[in-house]
Each structure stands twice: as C-alpha cells, then as structure tokens.
Amino acid sequence: MAWRNLWRHRRRTVLTLASMAFGMTLAVLFTGIGDEGYARMIELAAKMDGGHVTVQHPEMLDTPSLKHTVMDATALADTARADPQVSRVVTRINGQVLLATARQSKGAAFIAFDPKAEDPATFSLLEALHEGEMFASSNDKGIILGERLADHLGVKLGKKVVLTLTDKQGEIVSSLARVTGIIRTGAPTIDASLCLLPLDRVRQTLGYGPDEATQVAIFLPDHRNTATVADRLATTVAGRAVALPWYEAKAELAGFIAMKVNSTLFMEVLIMLLVAAGIFNQIFVSVMERSREFGIMMAIGFSPGRLFRLVMWESLWLAIVGVGVGAAITSVPYYLGHTRGIDMTAMVGGAGKKAEVAGVALEPIWRIAIYPENAVYILVAVVGATLLSGLYPAWRSGRVVPVDSIKLV
Amino acid sequence: MSKENGPPVVTLKDVTKIYRQGSLEVPALRGLSLDVKKGELLAICGPSGSGKTTTLNLIGALDQPTEGSVVVEGKQLDKLSRTALSELRRDRIGFVFQAYNLIPVLTAYENAEIVLALQGQAATKRRKRVMDLLGAVGLEGMEHRRPDQLSGGQQQRVAIARAIASDPAVVLADEPTANVDSETAERLLDIMVDLNQQRGVTFIFSTHDPRVMERARRVVRMVDGKVESDETKA
C-alpha cells in the first residue's frame, strides 16, 4: 500500500525524486573531487618531502636545523619497515644551503637523497627532471637545480656551483658541485628555491656519521592510516626521535585541506537540508490531503501505530527509489569525471603551469574518486534525511480524529 | 430468517452528547437510551440535527459521550484504551459510509481483505472469506478492479463486503443508499437484508431513505437528540 501511495501524485513524486537525485549527485561529485584531490595533494606532499609519516629529531619541527639529526636512521627505518601498514621507507637530509656562482648567490632549500633507494613512488621530483640526468650514486658530485633557480644563478648543465652550509657544530662548510640536472615542476616557488643533492655527499660535507640523517620518510599505501601508523611508531621511537603524521609536519597543507573539507561539508549539509525540506513537503502534503482517508482507516481498525508505520514505509520507499535514481543519474558525470577528469588548466594560467598549495604543485586535471565509506555516508544521509522528514507527517497521520475527518453525514 | 435474541450487542444508557464551539454548547443527544440486539435490522431516522450521526459515532467508538455510557458486546467504550478501541473497531464493528470511502490504491479484493489482514489472518483463510463475500455481494470477476474502475453501487458493495468481513457484532451504515440510483439502492438493500437474514449480521442504518425504513424491521425516529418513537414491525 505504501508503494502505491507513493505514486498517487506521480508528478509530485517525480519532482521530489529529482531533487533527491540532484542533491545526491552534487554531494557525490563534490565529495569525490575532494577525496581524490586531497588524497593526491597528500600523496604529492608526501612524495615531495617527508612521506606520510616523518621520523625526525624532536626539535626539528619547531627549530629546523642541520644540528637536529637522528643518529640511527637505518635502525629507525628498519623499525618502520616492520609495520604492516608501511610500504616504503627512505632516509634523507634536508635543510638550507647558500648557492653561489661567479655571478650570483642565492639561498635555497635542499633535499639530499639516495638515488639508488628512491624512485618516483617516494620522490615526485625525480619525474620533474627537465634537463640532464639523475645522480649516478649517493656520492655523486653533482647538484640538480630548479629551473628558475638555475636561471637566477646563471648556470647551465655542467657548470660549477659552490654550496655553503652550516654543519652540526655551527661551522660554515663549503663544497663544490657541478650542475648535472635541471628540474621543472611548473610550481613557481619550487622551481625557484629548491635543489637536490646526493645523500652521502652531503653527509661528508656536513660531517655526519654514516647512519645520520635529518629525517626518515615513511610511505603508506593509504594515507588514511597515517594516524594509526604515526601513533605506533611514536611509541616505538620514543626517546630517540618523534614520528610526525603529515598533517603535523605540514600544518599549512593540513589547514588548507581541513578548510576545504569543512566548506564542502557545510555545502553538503545545506544541500541535504534543502533536499530534506522538499521530501518533508512531499510527505506532509501527502498526509494532510489524506486526513479523511486516515480517518476512514482508523474507523475500520487501523491503529495510530499502523498509520505511523504506513507513512514511514512510504518515506522508506521514497528513500530507496531516490537513492536508486540518484545513483543512476550520478553514474554518468562520475564516470566521466573519474576517467577523463575536469581540465582546470585555464584556471592555473595555461598549459605547463600548476597551482601551488603549501609548497605542493597541484595537477591541473581534477578527477573524481570517492572513498567507499564516504559514498556510504551520503547514502545513509539521504535515507536518514528522508526517514527523518517522514517522522512528523507519520506522527500526524496517527493523530487524526476519525469523527472530525470522516463527517459521517 | 434472522432472529433478534440474547443480550443486546449495543446499549446506550442515558447518553448525552454536547458539542462545544467556543463558549457555545450545542446538545446533540439528550439522555438517549437504546438497546440493539444481535440480528436486528434497525433504521435510525429523523431530521437533520436530530442526533443520528452522533449516535452512530458513539456506537462506532469514534467519539465519547459527555454523559452516560455506550456498551458494545459488554464493553463500556469510555473505559477502553485507544488501542483497545482500535481493536474493537477492527474486530467487532463494521462501517458502511455514504461516500463508500474505499482505499483508492487498493483493489476491490484488497479493500474487502484489509480488515482481515489487519487481524493477521492467514492469506488462504482471507482469500476464502473475501471471495465468498465478494460473491455474496455480486462482485465475482471484479476483484482486481480499483475503486475508480467501479460504479458507485459496486463500490458500495465492496464497502459492505469490507464491513462484514471480520464478522462484526454490528454494522453501522450511514445513508448507504444516498449516493446511488433507485435501482442500485434496491439491490444494495437486498444484499444487506439478505446478509441480515442469512448470516445474522446486525445492521444499524442512519437514513432519510423511506425504502430503508420500509425494509428495516425496527425503526427508531429521533428528534432533538431523543427517541421520539421506537417501532418494531411484526
């Protein structure tokens, strides 16, 4: 009976279903863009520097310095590798360096890494090599410069650059490197202020021990396990180092994502409220115009509870059909957004350019990929909103006074 | 032939009903007393405002008296809970309305079956009962039609089948012939009289229709909320 009641006013029901489907589509697409986009930002940030979890000296976060090292990087890395939710672990040194040529000098950030231990899965800048070649070994005497940094210093491949750093004792140390590569990320800040160095070479320059580094970068297959892994590692490495999840190590990025997630959530709540208002209107009007019929039904033996359940069944059917229609309508834009993506190149300044958030270069193609649990949340929200919208009309249906609504004569 | 016997299935004792409209009090019944025995075919007639409708509402447990008591099969209605009243209406009282009032989304079969379904009776038992009743009211072959596919007389026959499906103690029929033509009215009366005589169904009509009064074996005439005359035919 509830199913048939749903279709008494076909046009009204179709309009309500359309609003539900529209709301669901918007919620899924916005959430899907967010899930995929934020996951990609987190992956890029992790692959740029520090991984999903960074094990480092306890004071490194607040007072970054090449003095703040971990002495047993290999042991710490082995500890991290033992965690079942960890996929890769690499050791790095990062800090600040003054680069000088015969014509110019400029301060820059450096990341020193082991070229044998890393690949694009752990270090995204390896894919940004625009000219030259990667280091042959960890003792290579080369340096790879950001494109704009190289331009600023006025150097090209094969030219020499003097590196000046402050070592662990606070002494100024220098070394000479030859430009072996140029990277181009498309992100202005990165291209203008970053250089790459071979790990062991930097250790020697800074007077570090063979197992000494500033960070152990830990990578996970799924960034959503970051908190769990960071908590476990924090306990294991306590006293020697700290294990920072990416959202603590990169607070600016985390703040940006949190702000975007919250604004998306706010918008989705608004959409759901609008949809719920439409659903409530459909059910409430449907109940009010049937008050005489409910009076008859009570006269022939329906209890208030049965009438309540009848209207709630109508709400449930509306929710089920609404979710089905919503899923069908959402599938097309979702598929296109998932496979082809949304090209935002024009918004970031044209081909080859990238937007940059908290030092992370963003891809100009947005893709849609919703986490399954978020899809379930949206389904639950739609069904929940529909059932909640039905509660008051259902209660009203059971409060009909038969003698008033029937008017026997 | 039906016999009116045993204790009354319906008893109204010194029933007063006053409707309040703001500070205005409108008395609808003034100390009405009435007994209806099992198997009776009773017509309550009288001018508009005489209290016929109010009387049916009170017997049907749709309203409560201001004073006095209404007893149906030994149960004093003002002592019953809402749930108990729902069950009483479902199991022991049948309604036939002037405007048929079938549930529009249900077929003729489903409308006749609905009370049995509410009672939780088994599907096979329901089917047997409903098919028997639809046959008795002359609706064979029309089980799958919805109300909007039936004529007024056919809808009223479904309503009669629905009213007697649960084998109630009493069927309250409010102007059951008012919305149909003379021929259909006669047929409906034939059906109800036959159900009364063959199956012992107790009917209480509220009516202006002289044909109903003519077919009823007892006619109660009401004026100003009181019984003016109570005549049982030989």
Side-chain angles (χ1 to χ4, degrees), chain A residues 335-343 365-367:
Chain A
Y335 176 76
L336 293 175
H338 185 70
T339 53
R340 297 183 191 178
I342 305 163
D343 191 350
I365 307 291
W366 291 6
R367 294 189 189 280

Side-chain angles (χ1 to χ4, degrees), chain B residues 156-195:
Chain B
Q156 197 62 301
R157 287 193 234 175
V158 177
I160 292 167
R162 177 179 71 184
I164 63 172
S166 64
D167 193 17
V170 60
V171 174
L172 306 174
D174 166 49
E175 299 279 10
T177 56
N179 280 5
V180 294
D181 58 54
S182 300
E183 192 180 339
T184 306
E186 287 292 352
R187 278 198 208 141
L188 288 172
L189 280 171
D190 287 344
I191 289 168
M192 287 187 277
V193 170
D194 189 50
L195 288 168

Side-chain angles (χ1 to χ4, degrees), chain B residues 102-132:
Chain B
L102 301 178
I103 297 171
V105 295
L106 300 183
T107 63
Y109 177 89
E110 290 164 336
N111 265 290
E113 181 196 34
I114 188 76
V115 176
L116 302 177
L118 289 175
Q119 288 178 328
Q121 290 195 22
T124 48
K125 192 176 170 188
R126 295 202 304 259
R127 178 158 192 83
K128 188 168 183 293
R129 173 75 173 157
V130 171
M131 293 309 288
D132 170 46

Side-chain angles (χ1 to χ4, degrees), chain B residues 88-113:
Chain B
L88 180 81
R89 287 193 294 262
R90 181 191 69 192
D91 299 338
R92 305 308 299 151
I93 299 170
F95 289 90
V96 178
F97 301 98
Q98 179 178 333
Y100 328 130
N101 289 329
L102 301 178
I103 297 171
V105 295
L106 300 183
T107 63
Y109 177 89
E110 290 164 336
N111 265 290
E113 181 196 34

Side-chain angles (χ1 to χ4, degrees), chain A residues 32-113:
Chain A
I33 288 172
D35 284 355
E36 204 282 338
Y38 305 142
R40 187 182 293 206
M41 287 173 75
I42 293 164
E43 291 307 310
L44 284 171
K47 289 176 186 176
M48 183 80 86
D49 181 30
H52 296 102
V53 179
T54 307
V55 172
Q56 62 185 20
H57 188 280
E59 294 177 33
M60 187 65 160
L61 183 65
D62 294 331
T63 53
S65 167
L66 288 168
K67 293 180 191 174
H68 296 145
T69 60
V70 290
M71 303 302 292
D72 52 349
T74 304
L76 289 170
D78 288 343
T79 302
R81 279 191 197 95
D83 192 298
Q85 288 182 304
V86 169
S87 56
R88 299 284 295 274
V89 182
V90 296
T91 302
R92 292 180 189 156
I93 299 171
N94 52 6
Q96 298 295 314
V97 60
L98 180 67
L99 303 173
T101 63
R103 287 190 294 177
Q104 286 286 349
S105 64
K106 191 172 189 312
F110 78 85
I111 300 172
F113 67 101

Side-chain angles (χ1 to χ4, degrees), chain A residues 25 32-33 41-42 71 77 90 100 154 166 203 210 265 288 311 323 335 353 364 366:
Chain A
T25 301
I33 288 172
M41 287 173 75
I42 293 164
M71 303 302 292
V90 296
T166 305
R203 277 189 177 130
L265 185 64
M288 294 312 289
V311 176
V323 164
Y335 176 76
K353 305 279 186 181
W366 291 6

Side-chain angles (χ1 to χ4, degrees), chain B residues 32-103:
Chain B
L32 174 70
S33 292
L34 185 70
D35 284 338
V36 181
K37 289 186 176 165
K38 180 172 170 54
E40 281 203 279
L41 190 67
L42 167 66
I44 301 175
C45 60
S48 294
S50 60
K52 306 186 298 293
T53 299
T54 303
T55 304
L56 286 192
N57 286 344
L58 294 175
I59 296 170
L62 299 175
D63 206 353
Q64 297 281 350
T66 309
E67 286 177 20
S69 65
V70 180
V71 178
V72 175
E73 285 199 316
K75 292 175 182 162
Q76 191 169 327
L77 301 191
D78 60 356
K79 307 282 188 204
L80 299 180
S81 66
R82 287 185 74 190
T83 305
L85 288 172
S86 288
E87 288 171 357
L88 180 81
R89 287 193 294 262
R90 181 191 69 192
D91 299 338
R92 305 308 299 151
I93 299 170
F95 289 90
V96 178
F97 301 98
Q98 179 178 333
Y100 328 130
N101 289 329
L102 301 178
I103 297 171

